[in-house]
Amino acid sequence: MDTETGAGSSLSPPEAELVRGTWSRLRGHRDSVGARILVRFFCNHPTARQYFRQFKHLEDPEEMQCCAQLHRHAGRVMGTINNLVENLGSPDQLDAILTSVGKAHALRHNVDPVYFKILNGVILQILVEEYPESFTHKVQEAWTKLMTLIYNKVLTTYQEVGWVQTSSSSSSSSSSSSSS
Ligand code: HEM
C-alpha cells in the first residue's frame, strides 16, 4: 500500500500508536477541549473570526464560549481529527478526508489556508496544556507530524482547486500572539 498521502509522509506505525493512545484518553472530552481550542484561537487571532457570522463581532471569551456556531465548528474539527485518527493506517482515507475539508474551506468558506497552520499550533498547545503527562516529547512529535500532514494536504487541495487570495480572505491584520 502507498505510505504517502502525496503531500507529506504518513505516520510510522509506532507514531500512529502514540497518537491513537493519547486520542483515546481525550476523545471523551473532545467537546470541551475543542471549545477551548477555538476560543483560544479566535481570541489570539481575531481576524480568523471574520468567517463566522455569529461571532465575528464578539470579543469577550465568555460570550464566544456560549456561541452555538463556535461549538458546531469545534465539533466538526474534533470530529474530523477523530476520523483521521481512526484512519491512520489508510493513507487513501486520510487523503479523501482532507481533500474534502480543503475543498469546503477553499470553495465554500474562502478561508485563507494560513489559518489552518495557526489553528494546528493552537491545537497542539492546548493538548499539551490539558494532558501534560501524556504529551511527552515523542507524543508531541507524532502529533506534530499529523498536524503537518493535515496542513500540507489542505494546502495541496487549495492549489489543486486554484484558490486565489482575495482581500476578504486576507489574514494580514491577524494578531500573532500565541498565549492566552
Ligand atoms: C483542522 C482544521 C479544520 C477542520 C478539520 C475543519 C472542519 C470543518 C468542517 C468538517 C466543516 C463543515 C464543512 C462544510 O461546510 O461542508 C467546517 C466548516 C467551516 N469551517 Fe472549518 N475546519 C478547520 C479549520 C478551519 C479554519 C482555520 C477556519 C477559519 C478560520 C474554518 C472556517 C470554517 C467555516 C467558516 C465553516 C462554515 C461554518 C458554518 O457553516 O457554521 N475552519 N470546518
Side-chain angles (χ1 to χ4, degrees):
M1 197 199 308
D2 180 16
T3 54
E4 298 286 311
T5 62
S9 314
S10 300
L11 281 69
S12 68
E15 288 167 337
E17 219 28 67
L18 289 175
V19 168
R20 283 191 203 100
T22 37
W23 182 252
S24 71
R25 238 160 287 153
L26 71 91
R27 187 181 6 227
H29 311 282
R30 71 189 206 207
D31 289 351
S32 58
V33 174
R36 259 205 86 191
I37 288 168
L38 286 197
V39 169
R40 173 82 58 89
F41 174 58
F42 290 122
C43 283
N44 287 349
H45 306 281
T47 55
R49 295 200 293 260
Q50 67 185 291
Y51 306 104
F52 294 86
R53 230 176 332 112
Q54 274 183 22
F55 59 90
K56 66 175 161 194
H57 301 303
L58 295 185
E59 305 249 325
D60 179 1
E62 307 249 316
E63 279 184 72
M64 263 188 252
Q65 183 81 45
C66 298
C67 179
Q69 196 179 27
L70 183 142
H71 284 272
R72 195 164 58 235
H73 192 254
R76 284 165 166 171
V77 172
M78 298 305 267
T80 303
I81 293 177
N82 188 55
N83 242 339
L84 294 171
V85 173
E86 284 178 353
N87 286 286
L88 284 175
S90 319
D92 291 349
Q93 283 288 21
L94 297 182
D95 222 48
I97 295 164
L98 292 171
T99 299
S100 155
V101 168
K103 277 190 181 157
H105 289 76
L107 301 175
R108 246 199 314 279
H109 310 306
N110 196 24
V111 169
D112 188 322
V114 75
Y115 289 115
F116 276 84
K117 193 169 205 164
I118 298 170
L119 178 58
N120 283 347
V122 177
I123 291 173
L124 282 172
Q125 192 181 42
I126 296 280
L127 295 185
V128 172
E129 279 175 27
E130 295 273 321
Y131 299 91
E133 296 88 14
S134 302
F135 276 76
T136 60
H137 184 64
K138 277 209 163 314
V139 170
Q140 285 184 49
E141 272 180 2
W143 273 90
T144 301
K145 206 158 169 189
L146 177 60
M147 293 298 146
T148 304
L149 189 149
I150 293 173
Y151 177 66
N152 286 346
K153 182 62 203 171
V154 165
L155 200 60
T156 303
T157 304
Y158 269 65
Q159 285 158 0
E160 282 167 3
V161 301
W163 181 82
V164 180
Q165 182 165 38
T166 60
S167 57
S168 65
S169 63
S170 169
S171 59
S172 56
S173 58
S174 178
S175 156
S176 60
S177 164
S178 60
S179 58
S180 57

